[in-house]
Amino acid sequence: MLGGPSITNLLQLFLSALPFGPTGLPDYSTESSSLSTCKAIADAVSSASQVNYPPSDNFVADISHWAESSSIKSTCSVQPGTPEDVAKILKIVASSRTPFAVKGGGHTTNPGFSSTEGVQIAMSRFNTVTVNAADGTVDVGAGLTWDQVYAALDGTGINVVGGRIPGVGVAGLTLGGGYSWKSNQQGLTIDTVKAYELVLPNGTITTVTEADKDLWFGLKGGFNNFGIVTKFTYKSYPQTGTWGGLLQVSFDYADDFNAAVAKYTAETTDEKAALVVTYEGAGTSLALAAFLFYDAPSPPQGLFDNFLAIPSIASTVKRSTFLEFVMTFAAAAGPSGSRAFYNCAPVFEYTPTFLSAAIKEAQFWAERVSRLDPKATMSFSAEPFISTLLTHGAPSPYPPDRSRALLPTSTYTTWKNASLDQFMHDSIVQFTRNLVAIAVAEGQDVGGAAPYPNYAIYDTSLVRMYGENVPRMAAIKKKYDPDNVMGLAGGFKF
Ligand SMILES: Cc1cc2nc3c(=O)[nH]c(=O)nc-3n(C[C@H](O)[C@H](O)[C@H](O)COP(=O)(O)OP(=O)(O)OC[C@H]3O[C@@H](n4cnc5c(N)ncnc54)[C@H](O)[C@@H]3O)c2cc1C
Ligand SMILES: *[C@@H]1O[C@H](CO)[C@@H](O)[C@H](O)[C@H]1NC(C)=O
Ligand SMILES: *[C@@H]1O[C@H](CO)[C@@H](O)[C@H](O)[C@H]1NC(C)=O
């Protein structure tokens, strides 16, 4: 029941901490001091780092994001090259109260989360991958994308638990949770972190491990609230050859396709299997695709037969290395060159009735938004993980409830016309609500289920995503960032 004292307190806490205006950008007005802050940073940092100004190519690269709507023209950008320089930059923005942003792979679709009108910090120089032979862990620089990590590990016989599509950043994916092709086996990416090299908001460089109770907890879903991560150390796992690829199916076979998804979701218990299916609505058409994966050179007899039996328009399904498998999605990965929002409709099950009703919703919204922008799309992805998904890790702020696997179903929309941003926001929010309502109507108890923070749109409430962990997160934030330095950067804030 809503309205109990603890919920009210949580909501008040959330509302008072909310730094966003209706556009999702932090409410701090950019001070004219940004330019002098840029100069101070350029004077302070070592030769390992570089400050860039518009319209240089480096500046354009530093502010660019996967979604055009997430890029903002900052006053300058800086590529720090060492943790010490990150510390100097944080001290300078803190003392001048200059808005700033921290960008890893730039894949957030929330404007202002890794972009700013002040100082754009681009982490791209933290770009090394080191295998520690002694304990089998892997150090990964916070500026890398997952495909770069897989390329570095290709041929080593080991791998880490990271993103599924080329281009996605190591940093944001890890700091928000991390759903991987290997999550059925090893859990979320946060469940596989051994250490973080973190520059605290006051400029102290520290290594956070399990011994650091609060920060260790906070970083498992807390994004940039506690400082800037420069390096992640992950557990590694043996990597053999793999099997999988992308299967595109005509809408004529939607019923067969949905039946295959529902049966796979209900029956699969094989940890090595993974599946993502996409329903992409554009105008009056809806495209079906299945991303099939098996973490061995061939899947067991029967596992994906219901998908493979459907006549396909195109298929890249084959045996390959893990790297080759991920790179087959390069074409599907963008850059989109569009404006875009992601959102999340978490559910417990993908039934045929849910999927066919969700398709009708996607068609309704795709048709509706395309009337205002012929390039606009509205889509969703089903991500059927197995029931033991969340049993691999310790308690974490996200997901707030690990007692049951929650399927993080993403919704996403793209468009071109910038004057439609608010309309597209409202449309995807309503579309997403309707998907959850379909699940509730068929008896799934997901009215209060936690949306995945890495998919959730910018105005999603902290309480919905992090549940009862919000007060603890706020306390950790207060302890490590008493001056609210990280409040100068956008994102979900505790
Ligand atoms: C095409 C596509 C595919 C995706 N696939 C997956 C998937 O397979 N699994 C999955 O779980 N998610 C997936 N996502 C969602 C993805 O996890 C998020 O978009 C994630 O935030 C991207 O991380 P990034 O580093 O690229 O983002 P950025 O936009 O660079 O950063 C996101 C947030 O992290 C903060 N941040 C970045 N670097 C640091 C740092 N060094 N220290 C502190 N804070 C930092 C930023 O300030 C920002 O708040 C996908 C998204 C897209 C667009
Ligand atoms: C963008 O959308 C606005 C609002 O609907 C409309 O007035 C304008 O004509 C559109 N611009 C283009 C280029 O289609
Ligand atoms: C920075 O913060 C950490 C953690 O709160 C603290 O241990 C350290 O003493 C602080 N350093 C300075 C210089 O204030």
Side-chain angles (χ1 to χ4, degrees):
M1 196 198 99
L2 282 181
S6 68
I7 297 280
T8 308
N9 286 345
L10 290 177
L11 283 174
Q12 275 164 358
L13 189 67
F14 165 64
L15 289 172
S16 64
L18 186 74
F20 297 112
T23 62
L25 299 176
D27 260 348
Y28 306 101
S29 51
T30 308
E31 290 140 48
S32 53
S33 69
S34 285
L35 196 57
S36 57
T37 304
C38 293
K39 288 179 180 141
I41 290 172
D43 287 343
V45 295
S46 75
S47 61
S49 303
Q50 188 176 317
V51 174
N52 300 308
Y53 294 94
S56 72
D57 289 350
N58 279 330
F59 173 82
V60 172
D62 290 347
I63 66 162
S64 98
H65 284 70
W66 179 78
E68 210 172 270
S69 39
S70 293
S71 299
I72 297 174
K73 191 177 172 200
S74 61
T75 306
C76 67
S77 63
V78 54
Q79 298 174 3
T82 64
E84 290 74 18
D85 283 349
V86 171
K88 286 178 187 160
I89 295 164
L90 270 180
K91 285 181 188 165
I92 293 168
V93 295
S95 65
S96 57
R97 300 301 296 174
T98 306
F100 69 100
V102 191
K103 189 186 86 168
H107 266 51
T108 183
T109 52
N110 288 330
F113 275 40
S114 58
S115 48
T116 178
E117 290 179 359
V119 175
Q120 174 79 58
I121 302 176
M123 297 298 286
S124 51
R125 293 188 183 210
F126 292 91
N127 61 2
T128 57
V129 175
T130 310
V131 177
N132 304 308
D135 64 357
T137 59
V138 183
D139 292 343
V140 177
L144 288 164
T145 59
W146 286 106
D147 49 300
Q148 293 172 321
V149 178
Y150 302 142
L153 294 176
D154 188 38
T156 61
I158 62 165
N159 203 359
V160 291
V161 177
R164 291 171 290 201
I165 305 286
V168 179
V170 162
L173 181 136
T174 304
L175 292 167
Y179 290 91
S180 171
W181 295 118
K182 297 164 85 74
S183 286
N184 282 331
Q185 298 172 81
Q186 275 94 27
L188 306 183
T189 299
I190 36 169
D191 298 334
T192 70
V193 175
K194 291 286 282 182
Y196 308 81
E197 183 179 75
L198 175 70
V199 184
L200 290 169
N202 68 5
T204 298
I205 301 165
T206 182
T207 298
V208 179
T209 65
E210 204 171 351
D212 304 271
K213 298 260 178 293
D214 282 344
L215 284 174
W216 180 247
F217 180 78
L219 287 169
K220 291 172 190 277
F223 291 103
N224 62 22
N225 279 274
F226 310 108
I228 299 180
V229 176
T230 46
K231 186 172 79 184
F232 298 88
T233 304
Y234 298 100
K235 290 181 202 166
S236 71
Y237 303 90
Q239 184 64 60
T240 63
T242 68
W243 177 95
L246 181 63
L247 202 63
Q248 289 170 272
V249 173
S250 152
F251 188 72
D252 299 342
Y253 297 99
D255 289 344
D256 295 339
F257 188 80
N258 288 345
V261 176
K263 194 167 158 55
Y264 173 96
T265 308
E267 294 176 9
T268 305
T269 54
D270 188 330
E271 292 192 340
K272 292 190 167 159
L275 174 69
V276 175
V277 292
T278 59
Y279 297 84
E280 306 206 320
T284 54
S285 73
L286 191 122
L288 309 177
F291 297 66
L292 312 181
F293 177 69
Y294 198 74
D295 205 0
S298 57
Q301 206 74 44
L303 184 64
F304 290 114
D305 283 5
N306 292 325
F307 289 95
L308 299 171
I310 303 170
S312 64
I313 300 168
S315 169
T316 63
V317 175
K318 61 175 193 299
R319 261 178 209 203
S320 62
T321 65
F322 186 85
L323 174 66
E324 285 166 347
F325 165 74
V326 169
M327 292 315 290
T328 57
F329 307 129
S336 68
S338 287
R339 310 181 81 73
F341 284 137
Y342 262 66
N343 204 357
C344 186
V347 298
F348 288 125
E349 278 180 276
Y350 298 120
T351 62
T353 44
F354 172 83
L355 292 169
S356 57
I359 283 181
K360 290 206 179 71
E361 279 293 326
Q363 287 173 317
F364 170 86
W365 287 99
E367 208 270 316
R368 187 181 156 100
V369 296
S370 68
R371 268 186 255 142
L372 291 184
D373 182 338
K375 294 269 197 249
T377 64
M378 191 68 81
S379 311
F380 71 97
S381 285
E383 303 185 15
F385 289 97
I386 66 176
S387 62
T388 52
L389 169 72
L390 300 176
T391 61
H392 302 269
S396 46
Y398 173 83
D401 176 8
R402 281 182 178 254
S403 66
R404 201 176 161 183
L406 192 57
L407 310 177
T409 324
S410 64
T411 51
Y412 46 104
T413 180
T414 61
W415 70 101
K416 287 282 184 189
N417 183 344
S419 39
L420 297 176
D421 289 4
Q422 186 63 43
F423 173 75
M424 298 306 295
H425 163 276
D426 298 349
S427 298
I428 194 172
V429 165
Q430 193 57 50
F431 169 53
T432 308
R433 266 191 210 139
N434 293 356
L435 294 196
V436 175
I438 292 166
V440 169
E442 67 169 18
Q444 298 192 42
D445 183 19
V446 289
Y452 175 35
N454 259 326
Y455 293 163
I457 202 160
Y458 54 81
D459 52 2
T460 306
S461 99
L462 292 185
V463 174
R464 282 191 62 211
M465 295 183 284
Y466 300 95
E468 294 177 351
N469 296 311
V470 173
R472 180 170 177 198
M473 293 293 272
I476 301 170
K477 169 79 166 55
K478 202 162 188 184
K479 176 173 168 194
Y480 287 96
D481 190 12
D483 299 328
N484 196 22
V485 174
M486 299 313 294
L488 295 163
F492 296 123
K493 283 283 128 62
F494 293 95

